[in-house]
Amino acid sequence: MASTGQISDPELANAFAELSMKKIQAEGQIRLSNAQIESLNRKIQHSQIVEHEISDLPGDVRLYKAVGRMFLLQNQTEIKSDLKKNQQTFSEKIKTLEASKEYLQKNIEECKNSVRELVMTKQSSR
């Protein structure tokens, strides 16, 4: 019985170490995802504000789009469509980041449950 106690302690220690490593990595990835989501939300809000301001301008106003270090003359409809495309792209990226966050949170919970089951089996075997 003493030999099983000695085996279970390193086994539990390894399981807890593995859980803590996975948890730290997952929490870091979740924090990174949250920062990216906030950034994308700000970009969406910025493009919505620009779109609203462009809509208020008269039709004969010249509008320029910044491309690198130069500006291109474009009409309102082209600029609005580009802004809409950007908003859709940002929204899709936010959805994928949210899905990855949910996956990471589920992964953390599964690790916790597996360690709990391991502890329960070790306690019941004693």
Side-chain angles (χ1 to χ4, degrees):
M1 195 142 220
S3 63
T4 58
Q6 292 172 350
I7 293 173
S8 68
D9 289 341
E11 191 174 346
L12 285 174
N14 289 339
F16 283 124
E18 182 181 338
L19 171 66
S20 65
M21 289 294 286
K22 284 184 179 181
K23 184 178 178 184
I24 289 169
Q25 290 175 346
E27 286 176 347
Q29 290 175 343
I30 289 172
R31 271 189 242 108
L32 179 64
S33 295
N34 284 335
Q36 290 174 341
I37 289 171
E38 288 178 24
S39 174
L40 290 170
N41 281 328
R42 282 192 298 270
K43 287 180 181 181
I44 288 173
Q45 186 179 16
H46 180 265
S47 66
Q48 288 173 342
I49 291 170
V50 170
E51 183 181 359
H52 177 71
E53 290 298 320
I54 288 173
S55 298
D56 292 344
L57 294 174
D60 61 344
V61 174
R62 291 181 157 207
L63 299 175
Y64 294 89
K65 180 180 178 182
V67 179
R69 293 174 45 176
M70 68 179 188
F71 296 94
L72 296 176
L73 179 64
Q74 288 189 331
N75 60 22
Q76 281 187 2
T77 57
E78 290 175 349
I79 292 178
K80 285 182 186 179
S81 68
D82 287 344
L83 290 171
K84 292 273 188 199
K85 287 178 190 176
N86 288 341
Q87 290 173 15
Q88 289 175 348
T89 304
F90 296 149
S91 295
E92 290 170 4
K93 287 181 183 179
I94 288 173
K95 288 177 185 176
T96 58
L97 288 170
E98 290 287 345
S100 69
K101 271 179 44 178
E102 288 178 18
Y103 170 76
L104 290 170
Q105 290 170 344
K106 287 179 184 177
N107 194 7
I108 290 173
E109 288 301 317
E110 287 176 6
C111 287
K112 286 180 183 179
N113 290 337
S114 66
V115 170
R116 282 187 194 123
E117 289 175 9
L118 181 64
V119 169
M120 294 298 242
T121 58
K122 293 298 177 182
Q123 286 179 351
S124 66
S125 67
R126 287 183 178 179

